[in-house]
Amino acid sequence: EMKGTSRTLMGRVRSFASSAVKSRATSQLLLTRGLPPLAMASVFGAHFSTTRVHAAAAKPAAKEAIITTPSGLQYVDHVVGTGEKPTPGAIVQVHYVGTLLATGAKFDSSRDRGVPLEFPVGTGRVIQGWDEGIMSMRVGGKRRLIVPPNLGYGARGAGAAIPPNASLIFEVELVECKPPAASIFESLADMIGMKR
């Protein structure tokens, strides 16, 4: 009777080991075909909504909340700044690290270069997700932006680094905010002492 039980247990162990090997082989096959993790999940019948995927990517630390704006932008404040808040046209300096939501692959980083990006915020010089996300920060703030395709690079993507319809994650820090650059007419008015 003990021998029979032993044989049954050994049979179960062999069956489990065999299915584990098959599962690993299937995973490796999908990866060698270049399918990203989300595609692998859909092959096995799992379905993800964009909102759910974004929320999972932005797992906040204790007391950090995921905010979703009406446009679909999501953000998590790691550090709430106490400095100046940008207005449209203000010249901001932002450190950032950009990654793809689907794979986690880094496609750009100002920190790697050691120089923050400077641009006039709220003027369409950057993707919509950035204009919206940076405008509601204060200097000194650090935030994770989770940018859906319609607020990023959309169906066209951006070169080889960002595929079409990609959702993006940016870890951003608002380093500095300066007043908008004066126009040539304002500069001339200052020079000759005219009141604005």
Side-chain angles (χ1 to χ4, degrees), residues 56-71:
K59 286 182 182 174
K63 298 185 180 178
E64 289 184 338
I66 300 167
I67 307 297
T68 303
T69 71
S71 70

Side-chain angles (χ1 to χ4, degrees), residues 106-180:
K106 181 168 70 174
F107 57 83
D108 195 10
S109 171
S110 67
R111 294 197 180 277
D112 290 350
R113 294 187 291 275
V115 180
L117 178 66
E118 184 172 283
F119 63 96
V121 72
T123 62
R125 293 285 295 276
V126 292
I127 60 174
Q128 291 178 55
W130 265 52
D131 267 343
E132 181 183 347
I134 301 297
M135 288 275 291
S136 58
M137 294 178 72
R138 289 185 178 275
V139 171
K142 295 182 179 181
R143 172 178 285 184
R144 175 177 298 156
L145 297 176
I146 305 154
V147 181
N150 63 304
L151 299 179
Y153 294 95
R156 73 184 186 280
I162 301 175
N165 299 311
S167 294
L168 311 172
I169 296 178
F170 292 95
E171 296 290 347
V172 299
E173 177 184 2
L174 182 53
V175 177
E176 190 176 342
C177 177
K178 298 180 283 190

Side-chain angles (χ1 to χ4, degrees), residues 39-115:
M40 286 176 60
S42 66
V43 167
F44 291 108
H47 301 285
F48 300 88
S49 73
T50 309
T51 305
R52 249 185 239 158
V53 172
H54 286 186
K59 286 182 182 174
K63 298 185 180 178
E64 289 184 338
I66 300 167
I67 307 297
T68 303
T69 71
S71 70
L73 177 71
Q74 292 185 310
Y75 66 85
V76 179
D77 279 321
H78 304 306
V79 176
V80 177
T82 56
E84 193 172 346
K85 188 175 182 179
T87 55
I91 307 301
V92 296
Q93 289 187 354
V94 178
H95 260 311
Y96 67 94
V97 177
T99 57
L100 299 176
L101 174 62
T103 64
K106 181 168 70 174
F107 57 83
D108 195 10
S109 171
S110 67
R111 294 197 180 277
D112 290 350
R113 294 187 291 275
V115 180

